Amino acid sequence: MKTIDELLAEGVAGKRVFVRADLNVPLANGEITDDGRIRAVLPTIAKLAEAGARVVVASHLGRPKGAPDPAFSLAPAAKRLGELLGADVAFATDTVGTSAKETVAALADGRVAVIENLRFNAGETSKDAAERGAFADELAALADLYVGDGFGAVHRAHASVVDLPARLPHAAGYLIATEVGVLKKLTADVKRPYAVVLGGAKVSDKLAVIDELLGKADRILIGGGMAYTFLKAQGHEVGISLLQEDQLDKVTEYMERAKATGVELVLPVDVLVSAEFPDLKTKAPAVFETVDADKIPADKEGLDIGPKTRELYASKIADAETVFWNGPVGVFEHPDYANGTKAVAQALVDSDAFTVVGGGDSAAAVRILGFDENAFGHISTGGGASLEYLEGKTLPGLAALEG
């Protein structure tokens, strides 16, 4: 895989460099609530601009239906990018139309432009190779070189991720190089004990990674909504907690495999339960109680791990040499159910291990709960991409950069 430093050594001054970034930031009323992904790609964009390149930044945001939708415009991201760079960033109001062509043509050496949301064009995500290729041809006309640095999208076989680098000389940006380097530390020559914390809502989202980690991790800590399927598989009442009954057989199989292979599978021993889901908009105080994990009332649902589980999980993280965490262990968006996720984050901070926060909601939780990002070994920008890498899958965006 060619590096951006190799590309810079060849000279980029005056050349149009297409940077496929991941500016898929969360928005509320048009305002960015977490700019972590923008800051993550800054080193690549800034270095190219300093070298005199005419930088064309592109990304997706959200899931528009292949047509323009103001709710998913990249305009706020372009504005924030300019603030972080300390320089004006031009913004094209389309992807490959008149505005994009004119905006790129007007770029001076060392300047940066952002084109509108790639998913406003159906060709970006099309399953039809010809349609994707046609869109990639139009994107290629805007550039001389390609730099892939949108790690959060490398598991997608999309036009700007796979088809475009096949049409232009290409290299990997600093963010992708960092992300891949970190993930290799989680899959090869891992320092042990190796602890993995998996949370989130659905166990089905994590089945493949659990399957892979059962042969690699020393202990796996389960939390979040997915924990209740494990508790049900043990024969416990889980009330109205989130439950995937169709996964009970698979979960039972994994618990048996863990026991047979000596992998420690750690489940909650107590949980916070309530008869109603919390109001995440008003953050009104919740009515809840703490019960043992095998004594969840039939009319209540589990919404966070309890204090005994927090201590248990912290102890399982404390002596680890490597820790990977993906998925909050409770409804962290509400203050009454954030203590479990906060405890996991604090345990990572207190640990002497190489710690990796696996993107997505975990990364958002770390920032929302006020932790210093520098206190962790690495905070990934791509939750889905990280998981698929750990599952042993070939990520199409990385394969394209290696081609």
Side-chain angles (χ1 to χ4, degrees):
M1 187 183 296
K2 190 173 187 176
T3 68
I4 186 173
D5 285 330
E6 290 174 303
L7 194 71
L8 289 164
E10 294 170 359
V12 297
K15 294 183 179 179
R16 301 167 301 164
V17 181
F18 189 104
V19 178
R20 200 335 179 159
D22 179 9
L23 308 181
N24 186 26
V25 293
L27 299 171
N29 300 317
E31 297 293 325
I32 296 171
T33 59
D34 180 0
D35 66 359
R37 284 177 169 166
I38 301 176
R39 287 185 286 109
V41 77
L42 274 181
T44 290
I45 295 172
K47 194 73 171 181
L48 287 166
E50 290 170 8
R54 302 176 182 187
V55 187
V56 182
V57 182
S59 175
H60 70 287
L61 191 151
R63 297 180 181 272
K65 306 298 183 180
D69 183 339
F72 297 107
S73 175
L74 277 175
K79 178 183 177 183
R80 182 58 179 151
L81 176 61
E83 292 171 351
L84 292 169
L85 286 172
D88 290 335
V89 169
F91 181 66
T93 57
D94 56 28
T95 55
V96 290
T98 301
S99 179
K101 292 173 183 175
E102 291 180 349
T103 300
V104 173
L107 272 180
D109 293 0
R111 308 303 290 184
V112 179
V114 174
I115 63 175
E116 187 54 285
N117 192 334
L118 291 164
R119 291 185 183 174
F120 284 2
N121 189 304
E124 170 66 1
T125 60
S126 177
K127 293 183 180 179
D128 181 85
E131 186 176 10
R132 283 199 323 275
F135 183 48
D137 286 339
E138 292 185 277
L139 291 173
L142 299 175
D144 304 303
L145 303 168
Y146 176 95
V147 172
D149 215 26
F151 180 74
V154 294
H155 59 314
R156 307 294 188 192
H158 291 168
S160 65
V161 178
V162 172
D163 302 274
L164 184 55
R167 288 160 166 76
L168 294 171
H170 51 268
Y174 292 122
L175 175 60
I176 279 185
T178 297
E179 294 273 14
V180 172
V182 166
L183 288 169
K184 285 181 177 177
K185 291 183 180 180
L186 299 177
T187 54
D189 299 322
V190 182
K191 292 185 177 179
R192 299 183 180 281
Y194 178 17
V196 176
V197 185
L198 295 177
K202 295 181 179 180
V203 68
S204 56
D205 293 340
K206 306 287 168 68
L207 286 177
V209 75
I210 293 173
D211 184 64
E212 188 71 17
L213 288 170
L214 279 173
K216 295 180 178 177
D218 297 298
R219 58 186 71 134
I220 302 175
L221 287 56
I222 303 292
M226 62 185 286
Y228 301 101
T229 301
F230 280 85
L231 292 172
K232 183 70 172 181
Q234 288 185 324
H236 302 314
E237 170 68 59
V238 296
I240 56 173
S241 304
L242 188 62
L243 172 65
Q244 289 186 282
E245 292 198 47
D246 61 331
Q247 303 298 336
L248 287 172
D249 289 345
K250 180 60 70 174
V251 164
T252 299
E253 176 197 328
Y254 285 169
M255 289 193 293
E256 291 173 351
R257 276 180 53 195
K259 186 175 181 179
T261 57
V263 175
E264 191 177 4
L265 193 62
V266 188
L267 299 177
V269 294
D270 63 340
V271 295
L272 273 57
V273 298
S274 176
E276 58 183 20
F277 197 82
D279 189 327
L280 300 182
K281 289 186 178 180
T282 66
K283 304 288 198 298
V287 178
F288 64 88
E289 62 178 311
T290 302
V291 301
D292 288 343
D294 60 354
K295 293 182 175 62
I296 298 175
D299 62 344
K300 295 185 177 180
E301 66 177 317
L303 296 164
D304 194 14
I305 58 174
K308 288 188 289 187
T309 306
R310 289 176 225 150
E311 290 184 12
L312 172 64
Y313 285 11
S315 71
K316 298 297 182 181
I317 292 169
D319 68 339
E321 290 292 329
T322 303
V323 184
F324 173 71
W325 171 33
N326 180 276
V329 297
V331 186
F332 76 93
E333 299 91 341
H334 192 284
D336 288 332
Y337 301 117
N339 288 324
T341 299
K342 190 179 295 184
V344 170
Q346 187 63 55
L348 265 68
V349 170
D350 293 340
S351 168
D352 291 328
F354 174 62
T355 57
V356 179
V357 181
D361 287 341
S362 309
V366 162
R367 298 182 183 109
I368 290 171
L369 296 175
F371 286 90
D372 180 357
E373 294 178 44
N374 295 321
F376 302 89
H378 179 70
I379 298 178
S380 179
T381 58
S386 295
L387 286 178
E388 291 198 15
Y389 189 100
L390 293 181
E391 289 166 17
K393 292 183 178 178
T394 296
L395 305 187
L398 297 184
L401 292 175
E402 290 168 352

